[in-house]
Amino acid sequence: MRPAHLALAVLVAAVWGINFTVIEIGLGHFPPLLFSALRFLAAAVPAVFFVGRPKVAWKWLVAVGVVLGVAKFGLLFLGMDAGMPAGLSSLVLQIQSVFTALIAFAVLGERPSRIRALGMAVALGGVALAAVDEGTAGPLGAFALVIAAAACWGLSNVLTRKASPPDALNFMVWVSTVPVLPLLGLSLLTEGPSRDLAALRALDWQGVGVVLYVAWITTVFGFGAWGWLLRRHPASTVAPFSLLVPVFGMSSAALFLDEPVTPLRWGAAALLVGGVALTSLAPAKTRPAEVLADGPEIHSTMAGVSARLRP
């Protein structure tokens, strides 16, 4: 990989890691479900008018939009609003790779290799250690919401794998159109119109900035650059850079939000990152018929797409 491409991969990981700190700041301006709806609205408009419609069936756009946009991000934002720290969220959310492998085994018949199974066990150990750390410092209910978000992320990865979009960027832009109305409806029902209107009336430049960051920088730039790298390098070369996301997430949260990083959290980080590395990079025992049906290009591209659909 050229130095410029290497720097771009690290930059994308930094953008995605810092995103958790930006979300935490944004939750001080908006109710969580309204904030999530605004994020997808800004990501979809006006970009949807400038990118072509992805060459996938509508059912996949709707399915990924509901599972990833409404469920995963709704639960993540609710969990962080309920007290889950930004840095810890960036770390714990990586357990999605274990959920992805488990769901892919159940739905697609992709049997995990022994190395991948070992990675899943190590990553689960990291989550357990993080739960112990959070149990002494914060609400376990918020921790559970982020775990549930990771499970939804894993399901959305498998749905994306089934959809096999040839272009990750235009797929994500169109997927972003799906959650807007459901999230707005849920916000009105649970957070209340008065709270939503108060947040919009109090909108300031910082509030606008966080929405634009999570929408344009994280989604449009992040996915655009990631897809550009995947078109020029093997997924196995690009995907490992996503392991830097929790590093940037925890560092930025400590720097800008004064979040403490306890010894238990460092231990959880080591186990989770190591386990995710084994789970994400070890080959799966894919059925021969599936390899023949999809071909090597689909497997290479979707490995990168599924490896990191960032928040």
Side-chain angles (χ1 to χ4, degrees):
M1 185 179 284
R2 297 176 182 176
H5 296 185
L6 181 69
L8 181 61
V10 174
L11 176 61
V12 173
V15 163
W16 283 340
I18 294 170
N19 184 56
F20 288 88
T21 295
V22 176
I23 290 172
E24 185 70 33
I25 295 171
L27 289 170
H29 292 263
F30 308 100
L33 295 178
L34 175 64
F35 184 22
S36 190
L38 292 174
R39 173 250 173 91
F40 283 108
L41 178 63
V45 180
V48 72
F49 299 110
F50 296 97
V51 299
R53 181 186 174 280
K55 297 178 181 179
V56 300
W58 281 105
K59 65 179 180 180
W60 298 121
L61 287 173
V62 174
V64 175
V66 170
V67 176
L68 180 70
V70 180
K72 183 260 183 175
F73 280 102
L75 289 167
L76 173 64
F77 280 40
L78 285 169
M80 292 180 66
D81 187 63
M84 184 69 169
L88 189 60
S89 296
S90 73
L91 176 64
V92 170
L93 205 62
Q94 306 313 311
I95 199 66
Q96 60 84 21
S97 65
V98 174
F99 286 113
T100 301
L102 291 173
I103 296 170
F105 169 65
V107 176
L108 304 178
E110 295 182 351
R111 295 179 57 194
S113 63
R114 290 182 180 180
I115 294 177
R116 179 169 286 188
L118 174 62
M120 292 164 61
V122 172
L124 287 172
V127 169
L129 196 59
V132 172
D133 180 61
E134 182 63 10
T136 62
L140 281 176
F143 186 93
L145 286 172
V146 176
I147 293 291
C152 292
W153 189 1
L155 177 58
S156 73
N157 285 342
V158 175
L159 291 171
T160 304
R161 165 76 177 80
K162 291 287 288 183
S164 297
D167 188 320
L169 176 60
N170 72 349
F171 180 72
M172 282 307 301
V173 168
W174 279 77
V175 161
S176 295
T177 65
V178 176
V180 177
L181 291 180
L183 284 169
L184 282 175
L186 287 171
S187 178
L188 289 172
L189 285 173
T190 61
E191 294 165 346
S194 59
R195 187 181 175 193
D196 287 351
L197 285 173
L200 293 175
R201 286 171 179 163
L203 188 63
D204 56 15
W205 286 110
Q206 187 181 59
V208 172
V210 296
V211 171
L212 294 182
Y213 184 95
V214 298
W216 291 0
I217 306 300
T218 300
T219 302
V220 178
F221 167 75
F223 276 105
W226 198 252
W228 186 88
L229 288 168
L230 284 171
R231 286 192 293 272
R232 286 158 177 80
H233 303 280
S236 59
T237 300
V238 179
F241 287 93
S242 65
L243 297 176
L244 294 173
V245 171
V247 175
F248 285 109
M250 295 177 69
S251 300
S252 63
L255 181 62
F256 297 108
L257 303 176
D258 294 323
E259 285 188 6
V261 184
T262 64
L264 275 178
R265 198 164 297 182
W266 279 121
L271 289 174
L272 256 170
V273 172
V276 167
L278 289 173
T279 304
S280 301
L281 304 181
K285 294 181 179 179
T286 309
R287 294 176 299 182
E290 191 173 308
V291 175
L292 291 174
D294 290 346
E297 291 186 4
I298 292 293
H299 277 270
S300 175
T301 302
M302 291 317 301
V305 174
S306 296
R308 198 62 56 210
L309 291 176
R310 297 307 321 163

